[in-house]
Amino acid sequence: MAIAELTDAERDEALGELTDWTLRDDGKAIHRSFKFKDFNEAFGFMTRVAITADKQDHHPEWSNVYNRVEITLTTHDCDGLSERDVKLARFIDGIV
Ligand SMILES: C[C@H](O)[C@H](O)[C@H]1CNC2=NC(N)=NC(=O)C2=N1
């Protein structure tokens, strides 16, 4: 399904709300780092994100090393940021 890339104004507004996320240099993705008590907590978090991401049919680019999780959100369908990234970032912010 076609999805529109955020306009510059929409992107700036989203970043004003998602203050823990940083814009990638090319402007096409946002990134946030997470640190948990241990692997169990990190993986529990990833499991919750994965279930919601799959329901939204919008999947993060991420990595995990023990208690750390790195997440990048971008929309492949528009090769940039879309409302789907904002929605998933809001969900993630709500569970940490
Ligand atoms: C066919 C399927 O709906 C698409 O490939 C979905 C799956 N998950 C996705 N995830 C992300 N991050 N971007 C997408 O454009 C995307 N598209």
Side-chain angles (χ1 to χ4, degrees), residues 4-12 14 78 80-84 86:
E5 187 173 3
L6 295 182
T7 64
D8 289 357
E10 289 169 339
R11 185 197 61 209
D12 291 348
C78 68
L81 279 174
S82 76
E83 187 55 40
R84 293 179 192 169
V86 178

Side-chain angles (χ1 to χ4, degrees), residues 80-95:
L81 279 174
S82 76
E83 187 55 40
R84 293 179 192 169
D85 301 303
V86 178
K87 184 177 175 186
L88 187 54
R90 282 191 189 121
F91 170 78
I92 292 169
D93 284 354
I95 63 166

Side-chain angles (χ1 to χ4, degrees), residues 10-85:
E10 289 169 339
R11 185 197 61 209
D12 291 348
E13 191 185 336
L15 287 168
E17 174 197 338
L18 303 168
T19 51
D20 292 316
W21 295 80
T22 54
L23 187 66
R24 202 170 64 190
D25 283 350
D26 65 4
K28 292 175 180 284
I30 51 175
H31 174 270
R32 184 174 170 185
S33 301
F34 301 85
K35 187 177 178 187
F36 298 91
K37 190 184 70 173
D38 54 23
F39 176 77
N40 195 288
E41 283 204 2
F43 200 72
F45 163 76
M46 293 178 77
T47 302
R48 291 193 291 281
V49 173
I51 290 167
T52 290
D54 205 40
K55 278 186 190 150
Q56 294 179 356
D57 194 29
H58 194 67
H59 303 89
E61 297 176 7
W62 56 5
S63 65
N64 159 241
V65 178
Y66 181 51
N67 64 338
R68 293 177 184 272
V69 179
E70 302 288 331
I71 298 185
T72 296
L73 298 178
T74 186
T75 301
H76 309 137
D77 292 350
C78 68
D79 188 31
L81 279 174
S82 76
E83 187 55 40
R84 293 179 192 169
D85 301 303

